[in-house]
Amino acid sequence: MAELTPIPFAVLASRLFSELEQNKAAFDLAERHFYRGSSDHDLSLPLHGARAATPFGPAAGPHTQMAQNIVLAWLCGGRFMELKTVQVLDTLDIARPCIDMQQVGFNVEWSQELRLEQSLEEYVKASMLIDMLAASGMAEGCTDTVFDMSVGYNLAGISSTPVRAFLSGMMEATETVERLRKEIPPALAHFRDLPFRTRISDTLTLSTFHGCPPDEIEAIVDFLLKDMNLNVVVKLNPTLLGRRALGSILYDQLGYTELKVPDAAFENDPKWDQITGMVQRLGELAARLKLGFGVKFSNTLLVENHRTFFPASEAQMYMSGLPLHVLAMVLVRQFRAVFGDRFPVSFSAGIDAFNFADAVALGLKPVTVCSDLLKSGGYGRSIRYLKALETRMQTLGARNLNEFIIRAFGHGEAALAGIELPAKRAAACRRALAEGGDLATAAGDDFPAWVSACVLLNTETYVDSLLQDPRYSRTKHPAAPRKVGSQLVLFDCLTCDKCLPVCPNDANFTFVIPQGRFALEQLRVTADGWVSESAGELTIGKPRQIGNFADACNECGNCDVFCPEDGGPHIAKPRFFGNVETWKATPQRDGFAFAMDGETLRMHGRFDGEDVLLEKGHGNTLRYVGEGFDIRLDLSAPAESVEGHAEGVVDLGRLRIMDMIRAGVTDPQANNFISTALLLDGKNS
């Protein structure tokens, strides 16, 4: 497997702005999917002393590991970035494939795949690119963005020197920002003097994982509050419901009887009474330190691996998706029954375009998503969330999120009865509620109490309805993506493009090569010179081909899930490495790598484990090198133009394939990571 490799900042920036200008797209996502804000509705909300322009964003996971992920999430309306969880063990061996979104979401991918210093730089790169997009006028008036760190999984690791360095680097990133500022290419020099944000984050979501004892959790939060001066949110596990309540919902009400939660998940995870005591103490500590503290529902649910998608070595997997939504919402209600609206609650379980507005109406902040963005359409699904929220706000006459909370479930008047307002003020509130007036002005200083009362009533109403909603039943979940029975090969496929948006890293892309039938040849040296012999025919039937950029591909398998054909686009399609070094370091994978040597382009290739080299300078002559041969020729007349030596037959089929790929992938108008990098290399040489 190729190592996940960060893409150079100059390449990211050049490709992003070139693609926006030329193709009205960014990292293969069309501009029609971008969210630019609303002139009629204020979707912003305060979060631990900062402000996010929308309540929406990607949850910690595959969408927040690399800079291009985060930029795509931002372009689609995400203004709260819960960054990928990092830990001191940053050279993990994650099983492949690791993400299964066929129906209910499952994964065995649970921590960062980059080194800590790489993760820090990726997040700074993302922040700078967002600053550049904002300065260019993208989403004007809707740019406030919160970056939220995520760490795990024990006190020893989190308080270690490497993790402390990561946290400090996120809180004061001047050194990294100034180094990257110098890498902004000349074509984008007008961005070099931007006042880039250097305090990337001062908030953190603690990933407690499964089996972390409550005293360990409390000690970690104590350290993060006192020693690191961070606002902290604690992510809690669905096992807090207890075996009986969880089983009643998951099996009896929702019908997911095939999912088995291991006994150890209940035995090792914190219990409800332990968590409530811990939250009370930590909330008081944060208040004394004048820092923010909250909770998040919920972590994924640990279940036994009963499927064949993941390697047999994985005994357990982590469930997400719609059934987790119900479990986590029941926990939200249970939490608020104890603490009311005292602590902010963030949420990320089973969110999609159909329940996002409801979650916002419950005063959950922020509402983040992962599983749904791994389905067909990928990041493009995001705009439906915010448009659905805007539509509902428009229908209710709500101009901001607090007004929406009061009006969403019709509890505005009932909530007034519970906060004991003076008669005159209560009457003004009722009048504003009935006539579409300004609710905040009518309620005055009592407005926050009114909003909080509605938060609690809305929670009760929504969870009651949720438990009766057939949409979350096992019998209602969508069918698995259909396979058509054909096998993927190097060129040509259905070209449905489903593999492009479901990759969170933008690893899959398209390129163009000529269509038609192309004679394949082989050259043989005889006593009379070189002889050309027929070696079949290559047929290209589709106008576009699929490629895979290995540096951004962690072989999660999600593109294989949604591809109608068998074999996996990330495995069967042409694979491209960002540099020759990573290509050489991955001998178990066929693929290609490019490098400029002055004005000569070198293309390294590997077919069935055999390495070859193509060199192209000016003119039509190509140099072709492999085991036992080193020749120069013009492919339009191979036998007549060939020079060099060969120990036997030279297969020109591979050369012709490489030359077609070279022309398509390196075209400056192609706007992919390879063409952009080569264009920059050419300008710098």
Side-chain angles (χ1 to χ4, degrees), residues 1-4 65 84-96 110-119 152-153 162-163:
M1 187 198 81
E3 292 292 328
L4 202 58
Q65 181 161 221
K84 180 78 178 233
T85 304
V86 303
Q87 61 159 323
V88 69
L89 301 176
D90 59 359
T91 55
L92 296 169
D93 184 14
I94 304 291
R96 312 292 172 190
W110 48 274
S111 190
Q112 91 267 28
E113 296 166 71
L114 300 176
R115 303 297 298 267
L116 279 163
E117 59 271 19
Q118 291 177 315
S119 292
Y153 293 97
V163 176

Side-chain angles (χ1 to χ4, degrees), residues 65-76:
Q65 181 161 221
M66 303 188 79
Q68 67 267 27
N69 307 156
I70 300 166
V71 169
L72 282 166
W74 189 88
L75 286 168
C76 295

Side-chain angles (χ1 to χ4, degrees), residues 141-163:
C142 184
T143 59
D144 290 343
T145 305
V146 174
F147 275 56
D148 180 65
M149 295 179 281
S150 179
V151 298
Y153 293 97
N154 57 43
L155 179 59
I158 292 170
S159 61
S160 67
T161 299
V163 176

Side-chain angles (χ1 to χ4, degrees), residues 237-239 241 245-251 254 261 297-298 301 319 321-334 347 349 463 466-467:
N237 295 334
T239 48
L241 287 168
L246 188 146
S248 174
I249 297 168
L250 188 63
Y251 307 137
L254 302 183
V261 182
F297 294 106
S298 86
L301 178 65
M319 184 201 77
L322 292 181
L324 188 63
H325 182 78
V326 181
L327 297 172
M329 279 294 182
V330 171
L331 275 172
V332 170
R333 178 167 70 175
Q334 190 168 314
F347 192 89
V463 175
L466 192 63
L467 291 169

